[in-house]
Amino acid sequence: MNSASTELNPAALNSGPRPVESARLREVMARFATGVTVITVGGEHLHAMTANAFSSVSLNPPSVLCSVGHSAVMHGALSSAGRFAVNILGVPQEGLARHFADKRRTLGAAQFDGVEWRPGEHTGAPLIAGSVAWLECELTASHSFGDHTIFIGTVLATGQGDDENGLLFVNGRFGSSVPALH
């Protein structure tokens, strides 16, 4: 893994307007609709985390990123595993999104009790049944900034499910990417 760290530029922070408060940024960013994913790592220390800070980075090489808070269990799990999967959730999987977002859930393999999944061929990371799509990735770079690290993964394999109705998150609520048919 190539690792690079970006430091805050103190001169930039001290010249001009002050950055907005984190609560205000959270409030504004809540209005930006995002897809909902569950990031997973396999191996001896299975772990999963619901995330909406996910994006494609490049088609050549094929790569994606996810942003994970330094205090999240996933931060250490992903750093240690070096490989991960991204499960893009469908509308029927809102319960899974809530489950893997719950910081009070049991960790380890027990967090997958009752969840249908199979280990990814290239990563061993859980690929969750019923997902709209999934990607298996090798961690190729990480960039620490502020209270998060941006993890960049080279995509090793992808797959798609039958359901194309992706789960969205906006204004603190889950929704559908396709209007309901009446």
Side-chain angles (χ1 to χ4, degrees), residues 1 37-42 45-53 65-87 100-103 105 107-108 111-112 125-126 128 139 142 147-151:
M1 172 181 76
T37 69
V38 171
I39 311 290
T40 59
V41 295
H45 303 287
L46 288 175
H47 190 64
M49 177 187 89
T50 300
N52 63 350
L65 69 78
C66 59
S67 181
V68 180
H70 293 158
S71 63
V73 173
M74 179 56 79
H75 193 278
L78 204 154
S79 296
S80 296
R83 292 182 177 227
F84 63 100
V86 180
N87 297 272
F100 288 118
D102 185 352
K103 293 180 181 177
R105 75 182 182 282
L107 298 180
Q111 70 188 294
F112 290 95
I128 299 172
L139 183 58
S142 62
D147 59 358
H148 277 64
T149 296
I150 299 165
F151 292 100

Side-chain angles (χ1 to χ4, degrees), residues 18 25 31 37 44-45 48 60 135 137 144 154 156 158 160:
R18 302 293 304 158
L25 180 60
R31 296 184 179 247
T37 69
E44 188 177 323
H45 303 287
N60 189 14
L135 305 97
C137 305
S144 182
T154 299
L156 305 173
T158 64
Q160 301 178 207

